[in-house]
Amino acid sequence: MVLFVGLLLVLLSAPLMDSSPPFIPPTCYSKVLSMAQEATQWAAFFKSHYLTSQCMAHMPDLRIDVHNACVMYKMRTYISLLEGLRNRRCSYTRDVQRLLYTLRQLFIIMSQKCHGDLVFTIYDCEALERPL
């Protein structure tokens, strides 16, 4: 009977000793990095996509480097340009609205929520203007 109980305990605890790492919730820094990469890719896609390329042609290239201190100014400017789009074909598309929403959320997270977690290592505004 003791052997049966011991074997039962080993079998029940085996799934608990799985070799996969435990779930680690995303940190503020990792959330900002993923959102910045996503917004940068979307902005580049909209400049080249056939439906939005005509109205996004005047928009500057968006490159979000969360380690650059100029990124906050760059994002604020880009958000205001997106809000000022007058072409219905571009400004009311769901994807462009999602980019605008993501940029607003990223700006809020960087300026308020993660303020102490982020460290700006460089101050080079021209680096954000260079194409990828």
Side-chain angles (χ1 to χ4, degrees), residues 55-93:
C55 59
M56 296 286 279
H58 72 282
M59 299 288 284
D61 290 331
L62 180 66
R63 182 168 175 245
I64 300 175
D65 180 11
V66 298
H67 303 104
N68 194 337
C70 290
V71 74
M72 300 303 283
Y73 171 75
K74 179 79 170 182
M75 280 194 316
R76 192 176 328 120
T77 305
Y78 204 86
I79 288 170
S80 66
L81 287 173
L82 277 177
E83 289 172 343
L85 283 177
R86 298 290 181 226
N87 190 339
R88 286 182 177 260
R89 181 180 212 180
C90 193
S91 62
Y92 293 113
T93 3

Side-chain angles (χ1 to χ4, degrees), residues 8 17 36 59 71 79 109 113 120 132:
L8 186 62
M17 293 183 273
M59 299 288 284
V71 74
I79 288 170
I109 290 172
K113 310 247 189 256
F120 296 123
L132 296 175

Side-chain angles (χ1 to χ4, degrees), residues 5-44:
V5 171
L7 184 60
L8 186 62
L9 284 174
V10 169
L11 290 175
L12 290 177
S13 64
L16 299 175
M17 293 183 273
D18 192 11
S19 63
S20 64
F23 174 73
I24 300 172
T27 62
C28 199
Y29 179 71
S30 64
K31 178 74 173 169
V32 165
L33 281 179
S34 66
M35 286 178 74
Q37 182 181 16
E38 183 181 350
T40 301
Q41 290 172 349
W42 278 352

Side-chain angles (χ1 to χ4, degrees), residues 38-55:
E38 183 181 350
T40 301
Q41 290 172 349
W42 278 352
F45 173 74
F46 293 144
K47 283 189 71 102
S48 63
H49 194 261
Y50 69 94
L51 289 176
T52 55
S53 63
Q54 187 177 11
C55 59

Side-chain angles (χ1 to χ4, degrees), residues 97-130:
Q97 290 298 316
R98 188 180 316 151
L99 173 63
L100 180 61
Y101 176 77
T102 302
L103 284 174
R104 283 182 188 151
Q105 289 299 107
L106 181 60
F107 187 82
I108 291 169
I109 290 172
M110 287 180 71
S111 63
Q112 296 173 3
K113 310 247 189 256
C114 296
H115 185 67
D117 294 345
L118 297 176
V119 176
F120 296 123
T121 55
I122 57 174
Y123 188 83
D124 185 12
C125 295
E126 292 177 3
L128 295 174
E129 301 295 328
R130 293 184 206 124

